Amino acid sequence: MKRWLVVAALAALGACSKPENGPAPAAEPAAPTAQPAQPAQPAQPAQPAPPAPPAAGTPATTPPPAATTQETGDGGDHPSASDSSLEKMAPMPAAAQLPAGKWKAGVNYDALLPAQPTSVAPGKVEVLEVFWLACPHCYALEPKLLAWLKTKPAYVEFVRVPVIWQPGHRAHARLYYTLEVLGRQDLVEKAFDTIHQDIENRVPPLVGDTDDETLRLQQQFAVKNGVSADDFAKAYNSFTVSTDLQRAEEITQRYRVQGVPFFAVNGKYTTDIGKAGGEEKLLELLGDLAAAEHGGH
């Protein structure tokens, strides 16, 4: 199946999740081949259902329920629990929990041990979003997220990292970082719009069957929006973009990201739309977690 058709199919199903049985994120993934899809959930002994998690979805087979706001990929390649490079979910110490009655640790958000390093200056609190330009849930959240960023406290530093699971995700991640290097972050919203319009119109959503075709499509997009083809190509192939892509892969792994949009606050707490209870609740929770972190310094 063509790479862009895979991207369009995943996005059309609302499957913003790590594809099942995909290659490890650290390696350059191979293009998917047509094979029978695995069941969305392997048979396991009955376990207590979590209070409010997002419904699980399988990108190749089953569209998610209408109420789903963030799918969780099953992923057949989870590292073992002994892998010390990955976070372990841990109970929140009582003294570190948010005020009772509003948010519940382990339900609305999770604590990570060990805490992960952040990229912000002392005194700042990092709010990190892992996203995908072709994800309908990321796209739907975007207007509310942008509004929140205009009113957030000065101590909150927002960091975006594109998820990298497969070649289509990498292609969109490269576009994001290329626009960043060019100083054209304003075109990220345009890319969001273009990709989702392309998916709706059943045309390649700024990703082709080959790397050369992807560059051509993204270059055309940039030229239409005032960037010279030469400047785009130089940034696209720059060392900075390559380094950013490597970091995005590392973050995708370290946080064990199985679905997007995914949020982490100061490398200590993670949450998503489903856990928070909706888009508005998510933004309120992010603000409260950031305030608790800032007050603790």
Side-chain angles (χ1 to χ4, degrees), residues 191-205:
F192 251 132
D193 291 338
T194 299
I195 286 169
H196 288 274
Q197 288 169 6
D198 287 346
I199 290 170
E200 185 175 344
N201 295 330
R202 298 175 181 271
V203 298

Side-chain angles (χ1 to χ4, degrees), residues 9-29:
L10 291 178
L13 289 175
C16 304
S17 58
K18 181 179 180 181
E20 282 191 23
N21 299 323
E28 180 67 45

